[in-house]
Amino acid sequence: MATTSHRALRLLSLLGSRATWRLRDLADRLAVSERTVRRDLDTLRELGYPMVTVRGPDGGYRLGSGHTLPPLLFDHDQALAVAIALQTAPSSVFGLQDDTARALVTVQQAMPDTLRAAMESLRLTRLRNYWEFPAPSIDPAALTTVGTAVRLRHVLVAEVLRPDGTRAAPGEPDFTAAHRLEPHHLVVWAGRWYLIGHDLDERRWRVDRVDRLHPRPTGRRFTPRELPGGDIAHFVMSSHDRGDTPAAWQRTGSARLALPAHVAARWAPGGSVVEHLDAGHSRLTLGAWSWAGIAGILATFDTDLTEVQPPALVRACRQLADRYAGVGEPGSARPG
């Protein structure tokens, strides 16, 4: 029974991947007889999936209109979880980009219109980072509000929150007034969610951490603008005021790298902060359980380091260099 169920799901996936399949081709892909395929098609019909027979020399079978599929029993929060999971899964398991993209489309086709809209609100751009870490806590309602505004091109009113999630009161040194934003792109990088938007009050583009925003919808549409430079990844990496702070570690240090920001950001550990300095240099701020741990991570970038801070990190880098200098060739005597 498990084999039959698995084969039926594969058959359903194949039928959803292109307009029409010949019976012989389906049998070849599933490695079964044509009779077995017909039986599986009947099984799918009994479950409520519309299997359409196409007559003629180029005929075969195809999946009927998506709106007749049985709706998946997901509530709003479950739909949100599915959208996030399918879009962020490739960051932790390599080789899933195509599979998760197809799965997302398949799930959306089977959903009622209201839940499909909720999932489409969270279409995001991923900037690849090879050291992933758990994302900061984000209010699902805020994420939905931002995603919907990006999709519908609606202006947002957003208040900027402190790192601890509180809002500064008027008169406090770090108080900032709410911003009217045109939200253009929702981006996830290194476990953080960012909103690229145009600030209508300050008349400039900005990048904000979604977990640092308290957004409110306005329902007022805006006309999309051209992002300066047109490169979403470069714009995020080169924005110094996007609200990043290093993750909490026992030790935190920084160094100037002879690498452009987009290269450093691609390999930077999760929870670190990459700053764009110029076309060939960036500053990396990161943490670890020890100074030696930070020194070891910096060594993986295989580039010149300057402006290393604090002094304890400088000493750890030198100690690491001395330790490596003492490593002999295989079979050679170890230094005394």
Side-chain angles (χ1 to χ4, degrees):
M1 184 65 180
T3 301
T4 302
S5 300
H6 179 69
R7 192 176 59 243
L9 288 175
R10 284 192 61 203
L11 174 59
L12 186 60
S13 178
L14 289 173
L15 290 169
S17 65
R18 74 187 194 199
T20 304
W21 284 84
R22 293 184 300 176
L23 180 62
R24 181 173 64 253
D25 293 338
L26 287 172
D28 290 343
R29 290 294 294 270
L30 296 172
V32 296
S33 67
E34 295 182 8
R35 181 180 179 182
T36 299
V37 174
R38 289 195 184 95
R39 192 161 54 239
D40 289 342
L41 288 167
D42 290 338
T43 298
L44 291 175
R45 287 192 182 99
E46 292 173 0
L47 292 173
Y49 292 95
M51 299 294 119
V52 178
T53 302
V54 181
R55 306 296 180 183
D58 297 324
Y61 297 90
R62 64 178 174 85
L63 189 60
S65 177
H67 72 273
T68 61
L69 292 176
L72 297 180
L73 300 179
F74 286 162
D75 60 25
H76 180 274
D77 290 339
Q78 289 173 319
L80 181 65
V82 169
I84 294 173
L86 287 176
Q87 294 185 81
T88 58
S91 67
S92 56
V93 181
F94 294 113
L96 290 183
Q97 285 83 353
D98 292 339
D99 293 331
T100 53
R102 289 191 299 107
L104 186 61
V105 171
T106 300
V107 171
Q108 287 175 328
Q109 287 177 341
M111 280 187 167
D113 291 341
T114 53
L115 292 186
R116 188 182 305 122
M119 290 185 68
E120 290 176 349
S121 297
L122 290 174
R123 289 283 187 177
L124 54 91
T125 302
R126 282 198 58 81
L127 307 185
R128 195 171 187 184
N129 176 270
Y130 289 93
W131 299 59
E132 297 295 344
F133 77 113
S137 177
I138 299 178
D139 181 2
L143 194 57
T144 300
T145 297
V146 171
T148 300
V150 171
R151 180 173 63 89
L152 299 179
R153 301 300 187 192
H154 284 176
V155 174
L156 284 173
V157 174
E159 297 174 330
V160 179
L161 306 177
R162 292 167 169 154
D164 63 0
T166 61
R167 166 84 168 137
E172 293 185 298
D174 55 347
F175 173 78
T176 57
H179 296 268
R180 292 181 303 135
L181 297 175
E182 294 177 346
H184 282 71
H185 303 283
L186 185 60
V187 176
V188 62
W189 168 65
R192 296 180 177 130
W193 296 69
Y194 297 94
L195 172 64
I196 300 178
H198 189 270
D199 192 316
L200 295 174
D201 299 305
E202 299 182 0
R203 298 183 180 181
R204 68 179 181 90
W205 287 88
R206 59 186 294 153
V207 179
D208 289 286
R209 291 262 297 269
V210 178
D211 60 306
R212 303 279 177 81
L213 291 180
H214 177 65
R216 301 194 303 273
T218 66
R220 182 164 63 86
R221 292 186 60 85
F222 66 88
T223 301
R225 303 171 188 260
E226 190 70 25
L227 182 69
D231 189 330
I232 295 176
H234 179 74
F235 189 80
V236 172
M237 302 309 169
S238 61
S239 297
H240 296 284
D241 56 350
R242 58 181 180 252
D244 283 341
T245 54
W249 286 93
Q250 289 89 334
R251 302 287 186 266
T252 302
S254 65
R256 176 187 173 103
L257 279 60
L259 292 173
H262 72 276
V263 174
R266 186 181 184 190
W267 300 100
S272 60
V273 176
V274 177
E275 300 175 62
H276 171 83
L277 300 180
D278 56 44
H281 297 84
S282 56
R283 178 175 289 106
L284 175 64
T285 302
L286 70 162
W289 57 92
S290 66
W291 295 119
I294 299 177
I297 295 173
L298 289 174
T300 65
F301 286 86
D302 192 23
T303 188
D304 292 336
L305 305 176
T306 57
E307 301 178 14
V308 178
Q309 295 291 337
L313 179 55
V314 175
R315 292 192 293 270
C317 290
R318 291 172 178 169
Q319 290 170 356
L320 188 62
D322 292 340
R323 194 170 297 149
Y324 284 165
V327 176
E329 293 293 335
S332 62
R334 296 184 60 185

